[in-house]
Amino acid sequence: AQTVTQSQPEMSVQEAETVTLSCTYDTSESDYYLFWYKQPPSRQMILVIRQEAYKQQNATENRFSVNFQKAAKSFSLKISDSQLGDAAMYFCAYRGTSGTYKYIFGTGTRLKVLA
Amino acid sequence: DTGVSQNPRHKITKRGQNVTFRCDPISEHNRLYWYRQTLGQGPEFLTYFQNEAQLEKSRLLSDRFSAERPKGSFSTLEIQRTEQGDSAMYLCASSLFAGNNYGYTFGSGTRLTVV
């Protein structure tokens, strides 16, 4: 069975600084997708960035980028130039490429942005 | 496209009562998922529909839980004889087709409190 681990329950970052959120996963599959989702307080989950396992190039979306290390089964999220609006819970998620396409989520990292 | 809509947003019920939640997915999305999120945890998969067919149910979905998606449109999740352990956020998500690496679109969730 696949598992996703986020070992940082909470992180803090100064506004305009850079922060990295960690995620490791376990799977026996060779092809899969990885995602980072943002969940602001009392609001819906929003897709931040996605990575296809067969792509070696790390995904980037504006201030958000990932460091995908397939052999190490690591998938970290880097947020550059942090803004107050980045404060939220961040969930790492794994999804296979067959069957139900259900997600396996980590337990989340709460990001605080300090002004 | 108005996104995924969930109603009600909040529900407080007494132990032993039945509750029903509704999810209206994005109209062209054929896949619909229900997840449960307890405090401090990531969302956990409950069940999945492709069109009107319920194709997978998690072991988390006890006999007190039932979900439907008549005509492949909106979906309902009913919990009978609620217990305090059922208190959680119930999230609905939809996606267009298998292999969609853009991920799901989530609703804002229904927060259930059983007193």
Short mmCIF file of all heavy atoms in Angstrom, two decimals, chain A residues 39-44 87-89 110:
data_model
loop_
_atom_site.label_atom_id
_atom_site.label_comp_id
_atom_site.label_asym_id
_atom_site.label_seq_id
_atom_site.Cartn_x
_atom_site.Cartn_y
_atom_site.Cartn_z
N GLN A 39 -4.72 24.29 1.67
CA GLN A 39 -6.04 24.39 2.29
C GLN A 39 -6.05 25.56 3.26
O GLN A 39 -5.63 25.44 4.41
CB GLN A 39 -6.41 23.09 3.01
CG GLN A 39 -7.85 23.07 3.52
CD GLN A 39 -8.20 21.74 4.17
OE1 GLN A 39 -7.41 21.17 4.92
NE2 GLN A 39 -9.40 21.24 3.89
N PRO A 40 -6.52 26.73 2.82
CA PRO A 40 -6.64 27.88 3.74
C PRO A 40 -7.69 27.57 4.81
O PRO A 40 -8.55 26.71 4.59
CB PRO A 40 -7.09 29.02 2.82
CG PRO A 40 -6.80 28.56 1.42
CD PRO A 40 -6.93 27.07 1.46
N PRO A 41 -7.66 28.26 5.92
CA PRO A 41 -8.63 28.01 6.98
C PRO A 41 -10.07 28.13 6.47
O PRO A 41 -10.43 29.12 5.86
CB PRO A 41 -8.31 29.08 8.03
CG PRO A 41 -6.89 29.43 7.77
CD PRO A 41 -6.69 29.27 6.30
N SER A 42 -10.87 27.13 6.72
CA SER A 42 -12.29 27.11 6.36
C SER A 42 -12.54 27.31 4.87
O SER A 42 -13.61 27.77 4.48
CB SER A 42 -13.06 28.18 7.16
OG SER A 42 -12.92 27.94 8.54
N ARG A 43 -11.58 26.98 4.07
CA ARG A 43 -11.78 27.13 2.63
C ARG A 43 -11.38 25.85 1.90
O ARG A 43 -10.75 24.97 2.47
CB ARG A 43 -10.99 28.32 2.10
CG ARG A 43 -11.49 29.65 2.66
CD ARG A 43 -10.72 30.81 2.07
NE ARG A 43 -10.90 30.89 0.62
CZ ARG A 43 -10.25 31.76 -0.14
NH1 ARG A 43 -9.38 32.59 0.40
NH2 ARG A 43 -10.46 31.79 -1.44
N GLN A 44 -11.73 25.78 0.64
CA GLN A 44 -11.52 24.55 -0.09
C GLN A 44 -10.07 24.32 -0.44
O GLN A 44 -9.27 25.25 -0.48
CB GLN A 44 -12.37 24.55 -1.37
CG GLN A 44 -11.90 25.53 -2.42
CD GLN A 44 -12.84 25.60 -3.59
OE1 GLN A 44 -13.60 26.54 -3.73
NE2 GLN A 44 -12.78 24.58 -4.44
N ALA A 87 -0.17 31.55 3.84
CA ALA A 87 -0.45 30.88 5.11
C ALA A 87 -1.62 29.93 4.95
O ALA A 87 -2.71 30.33 4.52
CB ALA A 87 -0.74 31.90 6.19
N ALA A 88 -1.41 28.66 5.26
CA ALA A 88 -2.43 27.63 5.07
C ALA A 88 -1.87 26.29 5.51
O ALA A 88 -0.71 26.17 5.88
CB ALA A 88 -2.83 27.55 3.59
N MET A 89 -2.73 25.27 5.45
CA MET A 89 -2.26 23.88 5.56
C MET A 89 -1.86 23.43 4.16
O MET A 89 -2.57 23.69 3.19
CB MET A 89 -3.36 22.97 6.09
CG MET A 89 -3.60 23.07 7.56
SD MET A 89 -2.24 22.40 8.53
CE MET A 89 -2.40 20.64 8.21
N ARG A 110 1.31 22.88 8.54
CA ARG A 110 0.72 24.21 8.68
C ARG A 110 1.80 25.25 8.48
O ARG A 110 2.81 25.25 9.21
CB ARG A 110 0.08 24.39 10.06
CG ARG A 110 -0.56 25.76 10.25
CD ARG A 110 -1.33 25.87 11.56
NE ARG A 110 -2.38 24.87 11.66
CZ ARG A 110 -3.56 24.94 11.06
NH1 ARG A 110 -3.85 26.01 10.32
NH2 ARG A 110 -4.45 24.00 11.21
#
